[in-house]
Amino acid sequence: MLELRRLVLICEFARKGSIAATAEALGYSPSAVSQQLVALERETGTALIDRTARSAELTDAGRRLVLHAERILSMVEEAESDLSAHAGKPSGRVVVTAFPTAAVAFAPALARSLRRHTELTLRLGQSRSGRGMREVQSGEVDIALVDDWYGRVRDSESLRVFPLLSDPMVLVVPRKHRLADPEVPLDLRELRDEPWMATPDGEPSRLAVDRLLVDVGGTRPTPWEFEGLGTILSLVAKGIGIAAVPALALAAGVRGLAVRQFPGNPVGREVHAVARGSSVHRPSVSVTLRAIHVAARYIAADLDPVRPSERPREGSRGEDDPLDGWPGRAARSASDVVGRSFGE
């Protein structure tokens, strides 16, 4: 009989590619991982790992076992979710990861919405773009908030994708900049010689900035590079330059900025929640997904310049509004986010 914990180990080894990385990911020592893989080889009666003095890799039999193990572990999680769903009450710990700007925007709403479930605890971490789906797939986290710049995030055999909101790129300028006035026409070609700031080359938001600046005419501006959108926003607020950022970054509540929409259909990204299909009916995961959807609805309302009649009415959400406490929720409406100045 194969032990489930050893199947978890070999699946993680297949993802990480080394015993040391597997041990670090699962919180074991390398020697303990190695011993458990040897024990799994004894259980199966065949060599699963091809070891050399410098490396280790799966044999053909090891790769076949990983395919079986992934299906087995998914079925086990589905069974646990089914039993938990019939128990009804969310409990235990739910682990969520998000790209940094989403973590800042969603954290207050999730904390408020989920705190009523006294037997449930939330762990919200941050991951770099592209890692969230892998962490869900590996079982390291239950839900990932991921950004999708090119429409490539879709359901798979094991993962469910839940669309949340659209996040367009917007122009941010210092409050005293001439373009802080929403009545001044916005022409990117006139901004070619401005001091642009952006994330480092290769970052998804930097690629979006480069796409925006392709048609500015003449030599494309070469932005100064800074790690982190929060850093860039604070520098813009101090009058050091201008930037194009995803609108969701404004949830950080940096003051002293003016925000303008780009004309036409600006470059942007879609934001999704991703979870394993085998876990979505577990009460802890299900209630967290619902809280994420509610948060996304109100965050989206603050990101888009909607008509007044389309805005959620103040006081209509009840005292358990999960968006209470989100930076700027009470202080500004959607029209304040795009086209007006932040701060005094």
Side-chain angles (χ1 to χ4, degrees):
M1 180 70 69
L2 301 179
E3 286 198 14
L4 288 178
R5 62 193 179 98
R6 290 173 184 154
L7 295 182
V8 171
L9 280 175
I10 196 167
C11 287
E12 191 66 22
F13 176 83
R15 284 185 286 266
K16 299 299 184 183
S18 74
I19 288 176
T22 301
E24 181 178 2
L26 297 179
Y28 298 138
S29 68
S31 61
V33 170
S34 183
Q35 290 169 13
Q36 291 301 312
L37 291 175
V38 169
L40 184 58
E41 288 179 316
R42 287 199 300 268
E43 289 176 348
T44 60
T46 188
L48 303 172
I49 308 292
D50 185 11
R51 297 171 177 83
T52 68
R54 294 181 177 272
S55 65
E57 61 181 20
L58 290 170
T59 63
D60 289 342
R63 284 188 283 272
R64 289 198 300 273
L65 179 60
V66 167
L67 293 176
H68 289 296
E70 287 175 341
R71 289 195 294 269
I72 291 168
L73 294 172
S74 178
M75 291 174 67
V76 168
E77 182 173 45
E78 190 171 352
E80 291 173 342
S81 296
D82 180 68
L83 293 173
S84 180
H86 283 83
K89 193 171 186 179
S91 61
R93 184 173 73 164
V94 61
V95 182
V96 180
T97 190
F99 57 94
T101 48
V104 172
F106 280 82
L110 288 181
R112 178 171 176 82
S113 181
L114 296 177
R115 69 185 181 186
R116 73 190 73 176
H117 303 288
T118 57
E119 297 182 22
L120 178 69
T121 58
L122 169 69
R123 177 183 175 186
L124 174 61
Q126 296 187 15
S127 59
R128 295 183 66 84
S129 182
R131 291 194 48 137
M133 291 186 72
R134 293 196 295 271
E135 292 176 344
V136 173
Q137 183 78 60
S138 68
E140 297 171 69
V141 303
D142 298 302
I143 302 168
L145 300 181
V146 302
D147 53 355
D148 181 11
W149 293 91
Y150 301 102
R152 296 172 182 169
V153 177
R154 296 184 177 89
D155 285 350
S156 67
E157 184 177 341
S158 59
L159 298 180
R160 293 279 307 278
V161 176
F162 302 91
L164 297 175
L165 56 88
S166 296
D167 187 19
M169 296 289 285
V170 295
L171 178 70
V172 288
V173 299
R175 183 170 54 85
K176 295 183 179 180
H177 194 280
R178 61 186 179 82
L179 286 176
D181 181 357
E183 300 301 321
V184 176
L186 176 58
D187 186 344
L188 272 175
R189 289 171 297 181
E190 296 180 1
L191 297 176
R192 183 170 56 85
D193 297 325
E194 293 273 354
W196 284 86
M197 295 180 290
T199 52
D201 219 6
E203 290 287 328
S205 62
R206 171 59 181 276
L207 295 175
V209 171
D210 289 345
R211 288 163 61 193
L212 278 169
L213 299 182
V214 162
D215 298 323
V216 297
T219 304
R220 187 176 68 190
T222 301
W224 288 17
E225 298 180 347
F226 298 92
E227 285 281 358
L229 293 173
T231 299
I232 290 171
L233 290 177
S234 66
L235 291 171
V236 173
K238 294 180 186 299
I240 295 173
I242 67 174
V245 301
L248 195 62
L250 303 175
V254 177
R255 299 173 65 83
L257 299 173
V259 185
R260 297 290 305 274
Q261 278 188 300
F262 288 109
N265 296 314
V267 174
R269 61 185 173 182
E270 299 297 316
V271 179
H272 308 296
V274 179
R276 292 182 299 282
S278 56
S279 73
V280 294
H281 297 298
R282 188 191 312 159
S284 60
V285 174
S286 178
V287 74
T288 304
L289 284 170
R290 286 199 299 272
I292 288 170
H293 273 281
V294 171
R297 186 166 68 247
Y298 290 114
I299 291 171
D302 272 347
L303 296 184
D304 293 332
V306 295
R307 295 188 302 273
S309 61
E310 294 174 330
R311 297 181 195 137
R313 289 182 296 110
E314 293 298 330
S316 66
R317 296 182 300 274
E319 63 181 15
D320 290 326
D321 174 16
L323 264 293
D324 283 351
W326 183 66
R329 171 66 250 176
R332 63 179 186 267
S333 66
S335 60
D336 293 320
V337 172
V338 180
R340 296 190 186 179
S341 299
F342 282 64
E344 294 299 330

